[in-house]
Amino acid sequence: MRNLLPFFTRLPVRGDFEKARGELWALPLVAFLSSALPTAVLYLNPPLGNVLAVLALYFTIGLLHLDGLADWADGIMVKGDRERKVKAMKDLNTGIAGVFAVVMVLLLQVYSLPLVPVYALFLAELNSKFAMLLALATKKALGRGLGRFFMEGMSGRQLILGTALYVISLLPVVFLEPRSISFLLGLLAGLYTIHVSLRNFGGLNGDCIGAVAEITRAGALLGMALVWQGL
């Protein structure tokens, strides 16, 4: 797992670029580290703890996936054929669709956190990382960037191991609090994001995978918030 950390977090750990794609099965384990600081903030319950927790999250994981979400949204909202959509996604300028997507994801997370238990952010991150693993498992790479590099390292064995880790990690929480199964709304949102990406772009690149991660996390928190509020 150590080799994954430089690519999926901002933790000061050195990793081997080639070895990282052989450790993709460990993506669910990364959630334990990426959610640790924001969960600690929520546990301490300081003033504006929900805002501080989201800041702590992005301090840990960086803004790369959030930037990918913005580019992805710009590409999705452009009218035209796939070539035009891919061109819009790769444009260095962020359009209004990208700004809207980023703001909505941030707001969903900030406003959901006070309504959910303290461990909800861990479950949301666990689903986010697992959704990224599922996106890589499509093996439908777009372009020749980092997304293709990791997809080429994916295998059925890695997917099976990653799925097993995902299930083992969430089972104790679901057993103790059955309502936490509502995080599956986030996973469904992530799967739908993969579907939309394939339909609009014909494949997935790093921006698409970043969008999958962000939308899955926000969807998981939203799903738990709705259930915990009895809606």
Side-chain angles (χ1 to χ4, degrees), residues 43-114:
Y43 178 77
L44 294 173
N45 195 28
L48 296 177
N50 54 332
V51 177
L52 294 175
V54 171
L55 290 175
L57 172 68
Y58 288 105
F59 176 80
T60 304
I61 66 174
L63 300 176
L64 184 62
H65 299 328
L66 209 57
D67 180 65
L69 170 66
D71 293 338
W72 176 86
D74 282 339
I76 291 295
M77 294 304 293
V78 165
K79 293 183 178 180
D81 56 19
R82 285 180 175 176
E83 184 178 351
R84 187 174 180 184
K85 288 177 176 291
V86 171
K87 183 179 179 180
M89 181 169 58
K90 293 182 177 180
D91 193 325
L92 295 178
N93 297 311
T94 301
I96 187 62
V99 173
F100 178 80
V102 168
V103 170
M104 287 304 300
V105 161
L106 291 175
L107 287 178
L108 283 175
Q109 293 177 101
V110 167
Y111 282 100
S112 294
L113 285 176

Side-chain angles (χ1 to χ4, degrees), residues 12 16 21 42 57 84 127 153 174 200:
D16 185 278
R21 66 178 182 174
L42 292 171
L57 172 68
R84 187 174 180 184
N127 277 271
V174 175
N200 281 270

Side-chain angles (χ1 to χ4, degrees), residues 6 16 27 40 49 58 107 116 136 147 177 183 197 217 230:
D16 185 278
L27 267 174
Y58 288 105
L107 287 178
V116 295
L136 292 170
E177 177 49 82
F183 64 73
S197 300
R217 187 191 313 107

